[in-house]
Amino acid sequence: MGSPEFNVYRRKVDHFVKSKLGMYTPSLELKGASFTLSVLHIKHQDMERLTAELDNKLAIAPQFFIGAPLVINIELIKDPLFDLATLKTLLTSRQLVIVGITEAIPELMLQAKLLGLAVIKSGKQSQHHPQLPKTTKIIQQTIRSGQQIYAKGGDLIIIGAVGNGAEVIADGSIHVYGTLRGKAMAGAAGDKHAVIIAKKVEAELVSIAGQYWLTENLQQNGTTQGACIRLDGHILTADNLSL
Amino acid sequence: MTQIIVVTSGKGGVGKTTSSAAIATGLALKGHRTVVIDFDIGLRNLDLIMGCERRVVYDFVNVINGEANLNQALIKDKRCDKLYILPASQTRDKNALTQEGVGKVLSLLAEQFEYIICDSPAGIENGAMMALYYADLAIVTTNPEVSSVRDSDRIVGMLQSKSRRAEQGLEPVKELLLLTRYAPERVSSGEMLSVVDVEEILAIPLLGVIPESQSVLKASNSGVPVILDQESDAGIAYSDSVARLLGEELPFRFITEEKKGFLKRIFGN
């Protein structure tokens, strides 16, 4: 098995076992975290103009900017001879803390490194391997007894009915444009926001992120016609829909 | 162009063999050269229903294994000169059927017949799979009760995934519903699923509705396909179904409760 859920679980178990055996005695730990930083966009390289405009801005809310960490975006500066050191002096003299620069041309990147400034890639730049977009699986036929359909990592749309003894499973939501008579399991990878929507609910079982209802629960709830089944906290609820 | 038709159901005892015999006879009566094959290896029944059990010398498995040629195994029906029967082996089991062997026999039959009717065994194992694999059209025989309907649903799923047409990505097998042993008065009293219920669950076109009838058992026991008994409602219903199979549009009969006449109400049947 190599499902993401299972891998996370295995890592947890692995860590637990190793820590019990005394193999882990960490005194420091490296963790990723994201912070919101202000980005100062430099659009002109005339230092006098920049100084004047900066002072105007700071005068509006001086307290707000004192000690404020800033990232400088110099995307529009194409001159390799632009003097970053002067800019840095200007900003530090106004009690601003420069965390690093971003979107610089290579010459300016080098300058920044020599000045001890970090070269930061912004979120959109650093996504070299964008996550695969969520894919939706669409099935345009009736799902028969004994058939099993799994939409990995996305939603499942069935244009047809789901027969007794059939199973439809999705990591995302499940939509059935027909009668749902079999089993439907949405949020199979743990997504609590997944929903099950069917034109008519006569299901053997509905489940969202592991919470499930059988036929009798649905009947007790009076769910027989079109409905949207979702999780409210840890409890399943079904809202009637007129589809 | 030969059409291969499988008569299938998943569940046993719903009337596959009765329907195979009736439909094959009906097609032959309409002038089409037809052969009906018994795929129920080890539980041979079709020859009994067709009344030719005493004339079985070689069988389907003999032909597959090359122990007999096709014409030695084919039995010509005595009542209808366009109809032939290829009986099953009673001494073997379903594993005697191989995809290659069945394919070979079917292509030989296709040279001389317009319709090949495959009478499937019950279940979803090798025998049933072999019967439906090469089909162009499937007659899904179903009784109006939940277990039969569910098994039929499973078989339709198999047709859509395990048949040759599905595997090779050709035009899918055409599925038609044949509702057998239908008793309108039991539907009205809520003991039986209605035509509408079954159609809604299975979602395939209706070929025919065969009423529950004493004549079916009588016909089986005497080895005469029930379609030849045109006095009986079941026989008439099979004739209608064959006509629909050939493209005619006919209204469905025997699906509503018969109004009993005054005398019948007093004296019964």
Side-chain angles (χ1 to χ4, degrees), chain B residues 58-265:
Chain B
Y58 293 107
D59 59 51
F60 189 18
V61 175
N62 291 140
V63 181
I64 289 176
N65 294 343
E67 294 151 3
N69 70 38
L70 193 56
N71 291 328
Q72 286 176 300
L74 283 175
I75 302 170
K76 191 169 187 289
D77 189 77
K78 277 185 174 162
R79 296 161 292 243
C80 189
D81 64 351
K82 301 241 186 230
L83 180 62
Y84 288 78
I85 298 112
L86 184 55
S89 169
Q90 183 69 353
T91 52
R92 312 293 273 273
D93 62 34
K94 310 275 191 290
N95 296 325
L97 297 177
T98 60
Q99 196 163 302
E100 201 191 355
V102 173
K104 193 182 70 185
V105 175
L106 290 179
S107 63
L108 281 173
L109 289 169
E111 290 170 11
Q112 44 173 314
F113 291 100
E114 287 173 74
Y115 289 98
I116 302 174
I117 312 293
C118 303
D119 178 24
S120 172
I124 52 169
E125 281 73 44
N126 187 49
M129 289 300 109
M130 286 301 113
L132 67 78
Y133 186 77
Y134 292 97
D136 302 311
L137 189 149
I139 296 176
V140 180
T141 314
T142 306
N143 286 169
E145 48 107 5
V146 284
S147 57
S148 176
V149 171
R150 181 172 305 182
D151 291 358
S152 293
D153 194 41
R154 179 101 166 101
I155 280 291
V156 176
M158 295 282 191
L159 286 162
Q160 289 169 359
S161 59
K162 299 276 167 63
S163 63
R164 180 185 66 97
R165 284 176 172 271
E167 281 182 5
Q168 296 178 0
L170 304 169
E171 196 187 321
V173 180
K174 198 172 156 197
E175 300 125 354
L176 297 172
L177 171 63
L178 183 67
L179 203 54
T180 51
R181 309 195 67 168
Y182 196 72
E185 63 283 357
R186 295 188 65 195
V187 173
S188 327
S189 65
E191 293 169 52
M192 200 176 249
L193 294 174
S194 71
V195 180
V196 176
D197 291 338
V198 181
E199 269 190 295
E200 199 208 314
I201 295 172
L202 290 178
I204 57 175
L206 186 62
L207 174 68
V209 179
I210 312 299
E212 173 82 341
S213 166
Q214 291 295 326
S215 56
V216 173
L217 186 64
K218 208 160 62 188
S220 298
N221 287 337
S222 55
V224 181
V226 70
I227 198 168
L228 292 171
D229 180 1
Q230 285 294 313
E231 308 258 295
S232 76
D233 44 5
I236 296 165
Y238 272 118
S239 296
D240 284 0
S241 303
V242 170
R244 283 188 207 104
L245 196 59
L246 294 171
E248 281 180 49
E249 281 189 27
L250 295 173
F252 291 96
R253 293 193 249 190
F254 315 114
I255 57 175
T256 47
E257 213 170 338
E258 215 176 309
K259 294 264 186 304
K260 281 189 178 166
F262 175 68
L263 288 173
K264 263 195 176 173
R265 257 187 287 164

